[in-house]
Amino acid sequence: IWGYGYKKIYSKRTLNYYKNIFFAQKNPVIKAYKKEVWGLEMYSILQKSVVTFNVHEALLNGNVGNMRMFEATGVATMILNDYGHNLSKLFEIGKEIECYNTIDEAVEKVNYYTQHPDKAIEIGINAQKKTLTNYNYDIYTETILTHLKKLL
């Protein structure tokens, strides 16, 4: 387990939040925590992952769309994302991304995809195609310019 949030105190919906609720300090999940990683090391770890677990902050009011979604899908890693109202507008659930509504559902899906990595790889590849085609700087630059032209 890699990432930030475990050693810091945040309000909710971070690893630290869930750790304090669901896991005893001696739990093997907590023992598996490695460290924060950034830059090329982060992309290397994401690319080697079968499943990347993604949690959004509560301040998004039920919506999703953080950087991790696009970093992981950009390197063809399957994201297991918390469900958000707008998720199906970004990725096709079950084909380009997986999601969960409860911790029990997340654990069930992690177990399934770690036992069936071929399915996770297929979803990751589909997500990468979507990310590289629809979520890149060329597309967003054109979108911003289009909006600016309407304002001028």
Side-chain angles (χ1 to χ4, degrees):
I1 296 174
W2 302 85
Y4 64 92
Y6 172 70
K7 303 247 178 183
K8 299 175 185 175
I9 297 176
Y10 290 103
S11 58
K12 63 186 259 188
R13 297 189 77 164
T14 64
L15 180 58
N16 197 40
Y17 171 78
Y18 291 116
K19 172 195 73 111
N20 290 327
I21 291 175
F22 298 107
F23 302 116
Q25 192 63 28
K26 295 180 182 180
N27 186 291
V29 172
I30 300 305
K31 286 183 178 182
Y33 176 77
K34 306 241 188 287
K35 64 178 183 171
E36 294 182 21
V37 289
W38 304 99
L40 294 177
E41 184 182 11
M42 176 191 72
Y43 287 109
S44 176
I45 290 167
L46 285 173
Q47 191 173 40
K48 294 173 189 170
S49 300
V50 174
V51 175
T52 295
F53 187 73
N54 193 29
V55 180
H56 289 80
E57 288 289 336
L59 59 92
L60 293 175
N61 296 320
N63 290 306
V64 295
N66 61 15
M67 288 294 293
R68 178 68 71 240
M69 288 176 67
F70 304 102
E71 293 163 343
T73 57
V75 295
T77 297
M78 188 193 94
I79 289 276
L80 179 57
N81 207 78
D82 50 337
Y83 179 78
H85 305 301
N86 64 325
L87 184 59
S88 62
K89 292 179 184 172
L90 299 169
F91 292 98
E92 187 177 336
I93 298 169
K95 182 180 177 191
E96 300 167 334
I97 197 166
E98 263 300 349
C99 68
Y100 62 92
N101 288 298
T102 67
I103 292 298
D104 289 337
E105 185 180 10
V107 169
E108 182 181 308
K109 288 187 177 190
V110 166
N111 288 334
Y112 175 80
Y113 285 107
T114 54
Q115 292 171 8
H116 301 90
D118 53 317
K119 303 276 189 198
I121 290 167
E122 181 182 336
I123 290 172
I125 290 170
N126 291 337
Q128 184 184 45
K129 290 175 187 171
K130 176 73 150 277
T131 296
L132 296 179
T133 303
N134 293 9
Y135 305 121
N136 62 61
Y137 286 113
D138 291 337
I139 298 290
Y140 279 101
T141 301
E142 188 61 39
T143 302
I144 290 170
L145 288 174
T146 300
H147 288 298
L148 288 174
K149 286 176 184 175
K150 290 178 184 176
L151 294 172
L152 297 175

